[in-house]
Amino acid sequence: MRLPMSPTDSMFLLGETREHPMHVGGLVMFEPPEGRTASDLREMFVDAIARSDGEDAAPLWRKRAVRSPATFGQWAWEDDPSFDLEYHVRFTALPRPGSTTELRELVSRLHAPLLDRARALWEMYLIEGLDDGRYGLYMKMHHALADGVGAMRLLRRALSSDPDETGMPAPWAVPDTSDPQRSVVGAAIEMPSTAMRAARGVISEALGLVPTIIGTVDRAMHDRGGSLSLAAPQTILNVPIAGSRRFAARAWRLERLRMVAKASDSTLNDVVLAMCSGALRAFLAERDSLPDESLVAMVPVALRNGKDSGNDLGVLMCSLGTDRPETAQRLAGVRTSMSEGKKSMSGMSTVSRLAASAVGVAPLALGVLTGNRVLSRPGFNVIISNVPGPDTPLYWNGARVDAVYPLSVPLDGQALNITCTSTDGRIAFGLTACRRTVPDLGTLLDHLDAELVALEHAVGISPGVDVAEAGF
Amino acid sequence: MRLPMSPTDSMFLLGETREHPMHVGGLVMFEPPEGRTASDLREMFVDAIARSDGEDAAPLWRKRAVRSPATFGQWAWEDDPSFDLEYHVRFTALPRPGSTTELRELVSRLHAPLLDRARALWEMYLIEGLDDGRYGLYMKMHHALADGVGAMRLLRRALSSDPDETGMPAPWAVPDTSDPQRSVVGAAIEMPSTAMRAARGVISEALGLVPTIIGTVDRAMHDRGGSLSLAAPQTILNVPIAGSRRFAARAWRLERLRMVAKASDSTLNDVVLAMCSGALRAFLAERDSLPDESLVAMVPVALRNGKDSGNDLGVLMCSLGTDRPETAQRLAGVRTSMSEGKKSMSGMSTVSRLAASAVGVAPLALGVLTGNRVLSRPGFNVIISNVPGPDTPLYWNGARVDAVYPLSVPLDGQALNITCTSTDGRIAFGLTACRRTVPDLGTLLDHLDAELVALEHAVGISPGVDVAEAGF
């Protein structure tokens, strides 16, 4: 039984190359419950795999992408007939005593390779050996299967807010009844064999959309955000990329950003963008590579249309104000740019919204369709996403989630991706970059930290205190 | 400065896909010197990296493959301008207590992904955490850079036969003066900028060879080995493959195989092939998949033409006699088939020898040129290589090499590869397979073990004793 794939999702497969795999990732840091160690938690995973016949894995975790004459050459989903849980769930360790530096190196390496397309498009790694007693769960999932928001929803459902809850199922065995992907896949099981005829209709419709999407993307890039230049300046980040990755991450107390937002009548997202603006300005300036024009960020925003499906995102183009020397000026610029963008999007038709949901992959889509690897002048310089997470402590069988660090997808012409996730009162910035293009992500973290302090100064509040952390 | 790549080597790049990466590998097991641990050895590697400016790495380890208008669209070699040793040398561990089963799983995973083509085509992993105190060094190298024989030569040069030698350089820093690759790359450094004109000539010549190679391959498959059928039977191993890998390995005392060879007037290689024949017969029979006709193995043999370069191999097609129920009959059949094949090859012209050196990639080359993934009827069923190694104990800064297990390249239509390496009185069989196609490599190891005993019986000697080992 095969189910069609949405055109947006299939673009993530079509546009994938060995230089830019299209999967997202997340590193969840766990604190073992009192008196238990990482090995105890490994045993729980090993037991869950041993008990499983594969049938307990939820449909989302079992489906694979297929393309054949039977699907008219288009990508579709089907249940993996040889689903192999032991392949997907992996156990590894750091050389002891393991530090967060080594964990970051390991996760950078794990994030680089392509997923096996013959299988369900995910891998999970339980990582032991950190000398502080925590353990990491790195999760890798194809963008065609879930975006950052979808992945956070899956994570949230696999966890409990009750520290004493035990007997919780493994993440892949959590029933995904609230997931629309599930209802699609679930429905498929009851569909008669003639369902491919219906699927064919959906595929044709999807194909028809592509020119609309490209056209809308083009218009969107030129019309939206009145204060924006028509395109972004060329920077050292906007070049072709290679297949290796560099990952760095740090978390700050969410309250610090909230205070800055409140004192400046901005949103939390504006503060995130202003931090990135100041940090990127400093990062580029110290490399004598700061352009005269402001950098433009592509900022995915949730499309609030009552649905809750896979890659249901819209996009704003935000002028980051990196040409402005003062922190307060940059924050004001970001606020104006985002506010104008939102007004423009609220006036969009349903068709435009649908088309805009493909903007995230526009450079890719254009590249696939035109054969150009990198546009001579980028439409934007950097993708900055903020994926909201739960605000309370979360647990898996008593192990507390200490932090969640997101990893995303650098692209040709977009060598750096910044994705933020907030959990339990902290906001984590995950920087995923082409290892060859962006040599020193650590300094960018330091600049983010300095910019948060500068923002606190600029709005007249005293700098907040954060747990000192080297990277994580 | 760019240097042309041989047509055989470039085929390993042209034919590579995400389903069949074209790199070989090796797992070297080390016993730390008295009173030292795996961590001490890690320190030696870490120090070597810290001291290195990248310039001490030998040219072979620094060169990357490039293709551009400047090389007329053909693959060539150049020194990586951003060579990054820390990227290539990696440190990892098994969850403790680590067993050989977990080591095998880890190496299977590490062997699967594509190498990053923007960089020198190798990766090295120092693996700690085995509960028996040994440590593993897994090395991955593109087939365009070195074949199994070349990799063994590199390994041999990096090691010492003196257990007390200290201050030995890291493997990548060993001067490769005896390596013809070195002389080519070395010469390049002095070449004037007009050298690309000369390179162009070599490339044109190489291109002109391709039709000759294909033609010769075709003739070779049909003419050689008088007792052979024109093609091999279809088996469950001769199907399209996916991107994941399964690795299993075991070593036997070389003396046992030598005794069988001596008692039966066979070569050591004949005994290796007879072991594989019996094991494959049993493996296929217990799956109700044994074909009536004998399986055909492709057996690379060294071309003894006085040179010592990269992929300098010839190939014989050997009828394994899997249709014969008796061990002795199968050994006799292998002996005859190999002896006839060698006679045929000794009569080949130099051009035919050169062309035959591409036979190893023939299915691939044909697939690339014709667009067919798998021939309807395979030319052979399995690739069986025996790469001779040094016969004495070897050491790296006092750590003794306990065993060397080879990993090779499954292909579309060739889901299983068997490669053997002998070191220090033991012969190791490394089985590399498509994880999806070949579910149970462990039983194949057991069948190899049983067949060696059967061969000993058949030639009338008492079964030898081997160290009991689960996999490794």
Side-chain angles (χ1 to χ4, degrees):
Chain A
M1 180 53 55
R2 288 180 174 168
L3 268 288
M5 191 183 297
S6 82
T8 310
D9 290 348
S10 65
M11 268 193 229
F12 289 110
L13 292 169
L14 290 171
E16 187 170 65
T17 70
R18 61 192 288 163
E19 285 80 23
H20 47 79
M22 299 297 284
H23 49 257
V24 293
L27 174 65
V28 187
M29 297 301 299
F30 282 97
E31 188 84 53
E34 192 66 28
R36 306 196 71 171
T37 68
S39 318
D40 294 327
L41 285 149
R42 186 208 323 160
E43 286 311 314
M44 292 167 66
F45 269 81
V46 170
D47 286 351
I49 294 172
R51 278 197 317 272
S52 171
D53 56 359
E55 295 296 323
D56 58 336
L60 178 75
W61 302 86
R62 293 177 50 94
K63 72 179 180 178
R64 64 171 183 169
V66 286
R67 184 165 57 166
S68 75
T71 60
F72 306 97
Q74 303 305 307
W75 284 103
W77 294 113
E78 72 170 16
D79 199 63
D80 181 355
S82 313
F83 181 70
D84 174 4
L85 193 53
E86 282 183 71
Y87 173 80
H88 295 280
V89 185
R90 302 163 176 201
F91 302 94
T92 190
L94 302 173
R96 303 197 180 199
S99 68
T100 51
T101 306
E102 282 138 13
L103 178 59
R104 199 164 55 232
E105 268 300 314
L106 175 60
V107 171
S108 301
R109 293 201 308 255
L110 296 177
H111 195 62
L114 294 161
L115 290 162
D116 184 356
R117 285 215 180 157
R119 301 174 183 274
L121 293 167
W122 63 278
E123 294 168 6
M124 190 180 283
Y125 295 80
L126 190 65
I127 305 166
E128 299 171 41
L130 266 173
D131 58 358
D132 62 13
R134 292 183 301 171
Y135 69 95
L137 187 71
Y138 165 71
M139 172 78 210
K140 174 170 176 175
M141 194 170 229
H142 204 280
H143 211 316
L145 200 62
D147 59 21
V149 173
M152 280 304 284
R153 192 177 56 223
L154 288 170
L155 177 67
R156 176 65 191 84
R157 240 188 345 260
L159 300 171
S160 166
S161 52
D162 177 2
D164 299 321
E165 186 172 342
T166 56
M168 292 173 65
W172 59 83
V174 176
D176 47 2
T177 45
S178 72
D179 182 354
Q181 301 271 11
R182 155 69 188 206
S183 54
V184 171
V185 176
I189 293 159
E190 291 99 49
M191 277 166 87
S193 69
T194 52
M196 275 317 294
R197 278 208 296 262
R200 182 186 180 179
V202 177
I203 290 166
S204 305
E205 192 183 343
L207 272 178
L209 252 181
V210 172
T212 314
I213 289 169
I214 301 299
T216 309
V217 164
D218 189 57
R219 265 178 287 120
M221 279 186 175
H222 290 76
D223 297 347
R224 194 185 303 142
S227 65
L228 292 190
S229 60
L230 293 183
Q234 183 62 48
T235 78
I236 55 173
L237 301 174
N238 304 111
V239 296
I241 63 168
S244 52
R245 293 291 167 265
R246 198 182 296 273
F247 170 59
R250 195 179 294 180
W252 288 268
R253 283 194 305 110
L254 198 52
E255 188 57 22
R256 292 181 65 188
L257 281 74
R258 284 206 180 109
M259 296 275 281
V260 173
K262 196 174 168 189
S264 60
D265 196 25
S266 315
T267 67
L268 185 74
N269 211 29
D270 293 342
V271 178
V272 165
L273 292 166
M275 282 173 71
C276 294
S277 172
L280 286 167
R281 178 183 161 88
F283 184 81
L284 292 173
E286 71 194 4
R287 282 161 184 77
D288 284 329
S289 302
L290 182 67
D292 292 337
E293 295 170 64
S294 170
L295 266 61
V296 176
M298 190 188 94
V299 185
V301 292
L303 282 181
R304 303 192 192 286
N305 57 0
K307 289 203 304 182
D308 187 30
S309 63
N311 287 296
D312 210 3
L313 293 173
V315 160
L316 296 180
M317 294 295 161
C318 175
S319 175
L320 288 174
T322 52
D323 54 333
R324 305 178 181 193
E326 300 295 330
T327 298
Q329 292 177 317
R330 290 193 294 269
L331 176 59
V334 162
R335 195 174 50 216
T336 306
S337 183
M338 288 299 286
S339 152
E340 285 180 6
K342 279 177 206 161
K343 266 184 231 147
S344 145
M345 176 161 278
S346 71
M348 285 167 77
S349 69
T350 308
V351 170
S352 300
R353 277 174 189 269
L354 182 54
S357 74
V359 170
V361 289
L364 195 67
L366 290 169
V368 168
L369 296 174
T370 66
N372 287 327
R373 282 191 83 197
V374 180
L375 300 171
S376 56
R377 193 169 157 88
F380 50 89
N381 299 103
V382 59
I383 301 176
I384 305 177
S385 317
N386 183 14
V387 181
D391 212 15
T392 54
L394 289 174
Y395 303 85
W396 187 70
N397 286 307
R400 179 174 170 144
V401 174
D402 190 58
V404 178
Y405 299 104
L407 289 92
S408 193
V409 187
L411 298 172
D412 258 352
Q414 300 290 336
L416 171 68
N417 177 294
I418 302 179
T419 300
C420 306
T421 314
S422 50
T423 38
D424 192 9
R426 302 192 340 147
I427 181 162
F429 282 61
L431 316 182
T432 316
C434 167
R435 182 179 167 111
R436 225 174 150 83
T437 311
V438 189
D440 191 359
L441 278 182
T443 61
L444 197 49
L445 289 178
D446 293 337
H447 290 314
L448 283 168
D449 190 59
E451 191 65 11
L452 177 53
V453 174
L455 282 161
E456 288 169 327
H457 275 297
V459 301
I461 58 179
S462 50
V465 177
D466 245 294
V467 183
E469 281 179 302
F472 285 167
Chain B
M1 181 51 55
R2 288 181 174 167
L3 266 287
M5 190 183 297
S6 82
T8 310
D9 291 347
S10 66
M11 267 194 230
F12 289 110
L13 292 169
L14 289 170
E16 186 170 65
T17 69
R18 60 191 289 163
E19 285 80 22
H20 47 81
M22 299 297 285
H23 50 257
V24 293
L27 175 65
V28 186
M29 297 300 299
F30 282 98
E31 188 84 52
E34 193 66 27
R36 306 195 71 168
T37 69
S39 320
D40 294 326
L41 285 149
R42 187 207 324 159
E43 287 311 313
M44 293 168 67
F45 269 82
V46 170
D47 286 351
I49 294 173
R51 278 197 317 272
S52 171
D53 55 0
E55 296 297 323
D56 58 336
L60 178 75
W61 302 86
R62 295 176 49 94
K63 70 178 181 179
R64 64 172 183 169
V66 287
R67 184 166 56 167
S68 74
T71 60
F72 307 96
Q74 303 305 307
W75 282 105
W77 294 113
E78 72 170 16
D79 198 64
D80 180 356
S82 313
F83 181 69
D84 175 4
L85 193 52
E86 283 184 70
Y87 173 81
H88 295 280
V89 185
R90 302 164 176 200
F91 302 94
T92 191
L94 302 174
R96 301 196 181 196
S99 69
T100 51
T101 306
E102 282 138 12
L103 178 58
R104 199 164 55 231
E105 268 298 314
L106 174 61
V107 171
S108 302
R109 293 201 308 256
L110 296 178
H111 195 63
L114 294 160
L115 290 162
D116 185 354
R117 286 214 179 157
R119 300 173 183 276
L121 292 169
W122 63 279
E123 296 168 5
M124 189 180 284
Y125 295 80
L126 189 66
I127 306 166
E128 299 173 40
L130 266 174
D131 57 358
D132 62 14
R134 293 183 300 170
Y135 70 96
L137 186 71
Y138 164 71
M139 172 77 209
K140 175 172 176 174
M141 192 169 231
H142 203 281
H143 212 315
L145 200 61
D147 60 20
V149 173
M152 278 306 283
R153 193 177 54 222
L154 288 170
L155 177 68
R156 176 66 191 85
R157 241 188 344 261
L159 300 172
S160 166
S161 51
D162 177 4
D164 298 321
E165 185 172 345
T166 56
M168 293 174 64
W172 59 84
V174 176
D176 47 1
T177 45
S178 71
D179 183 353
Q181 301 272 10
R182 155 72 188 206
S183 54
V184 171
V185 176
I189 292 161
E190 292 100 47
M191 277 168 88
S193 69
T194 52
M196 276 317 292
R197 275 207 298 262
R200 182 185 180 178
V202 177
I203 289 166
S204 305
E205 192 185 343
L207 271 178
L209 253 181
V210 171
T212 313
I213 290 169
I214 301 299
T216 308
V217 164
D218 189 57
R219 265 180 288 121
M221 279 185 175
H222 291 77
D223 296 348
R224 195 185 304 144
S227 65
L228 291 190
S229 60
L230 293 184
Q234 184 63 48
T235 78
I236 54 173
L237 302 174
N238 304 108
V239 295
I241 63 167
S244 53
R245 293 291 167 265
R246 197 181 297 273
F247 170 58
R250 194 179 294 181
W252 287 269
R253 282 195 304 110
L254 198 52
E255 189 56 24
R256 292 181 63 187
L257 281 75
R258 284 205 181 111
M259 297 275 283
V260 173
K262 195 175 170 188
S264 60
D265 196 26
S266 315
T267 67
L268 185 73
N269 211 28
D270 293 342
V271 179
V272 166
L273 292 167
M275 281 174 70
C276 294
S277 171
L280 285 167
R281 178 182 160 90
F283 184 81
L284 292 173
E286 70 195 3
R287 282 160 186 78
D288 285 328
S289 302
L290 182 67
D292 293 337
E293 294 169 66
S294 170
L295 266 60
V296 175
M298 189 188 96
V299 185
V301 292
L303 282 181
R304 303 193 191 285
N305 56 0
K307 289 203 306 183
D308 187 28
S309 64
N311 287 297
D312 210 5
L313 291 175
V315 160
L316 295 181
M317 294 293 163
C318 175
S319 176
L320 289 175
T322 53
D323 53 332
R324 305 177 182 193
E326 299 295 330
T327 298
Q329 292 179 318
R330 289 192 294 269
L331 176 58
V334 162
R335 196 175 48 216
T336 306
S337 182
M338 287 300 286
S339 152
E340 285 180 6
K342 279 177 208 162
K343 265 183 233 152
S344 144
M345 176 162 278
S346 71
M348 284 167 76
S349 70
T350 308
V351 170
S352 301
R353 275 173 190 269
L354 181 54
S357 74
V359 170
V361 291
L364 195 65
L366 290 170
V368 168
L369 297 174
T370 65
N372 286 329
R373 284 193 80 196
V374 181
L375 300 171
S376 57
R377 193 169 157 90
F380 50 90
N381 299 104
V382 60
I383 301 176
I384 305 178
S385 317
N386 183 14
V387 180
D391 211 14
T392 53
L394 290 174
Y395 303 84
W396 188 69
N397 286 307
R400 178 175 172 142
V401 174
D402 190 59
V404 179
Y405 300 104
L407 289 92
S408 194
V409 187
L411 298 171
D412 259 351
Q414 301 290 338
L416 170 68
N417 176 294
I418 302 179
T419 300
C420 306
T421 313
S422 50
T423 39
D424 190 9
R426 302 192 339 146
I427 182 164
F429 283 61
L431 315 182
T432 316
C434 166
R435 180 177 167 113
R436 225 175 150 82
T437 311
V438 189
D440 191 359
L441 278 182
T443 61
L444 197 48
L445 289 178
D446 293 337
H447 290 314
L448 283 168
D449 190 59
E451 191 64 12
L452 177 54
V453 174
L455 282 161
E456 288 169 326
H457 274 295
V459 302
I461 58 180
S462 50
V465 177
D466 246 295
V467 185
E469 280 178 304
F472 286 169

